[in-house]
Amino acid sequence: MTRRFTIVCDDDQARIIETLARRYGITEEEVLSQLVELGLEARDEQTV
């Protein structure tokens, strides 16, 4: 089951997300999903 979350970004963060999406030909939603996943993985590595 998937869940939907809302994120609020400042203008600089939004531009970075848009740039990454264009660069890799993916949606902003996919960029955010990948960034969250990477952040959670980094957190898990720090707790080991």
Side-chain angles (χ1 to χ4, degrees):
M1 180 165 104
T2 61
R3 293 179 61 182
R4 184 168 293 278
F5 291 90
T6 301
I7 183 170
V8 178
C9 300
D10 64 27
D11 290 339
D12 291 335
Q13 291 170 323
R15 277 191 290 276
I16 292 167
I17 292 164
E18 291 166 350
T19 300
L20 287 168
R22 273 194 310 275
R23 181 179 299 161
Y24 295 104
I26 58 178
T27 64
E28 287 95 351
E29 184 178 67
E30 181 60 27
V31 170
L32 291 168
S33 178
Q34 289 181 22
L35 289 172
V36 167
E37 187 174 327
L38 288 170
L40 291 172
E41 287 174 4
R43 182 195 59 100
D44 288 345
E45 290 173 6
Q46 289 179 353
T47 60
V48 171

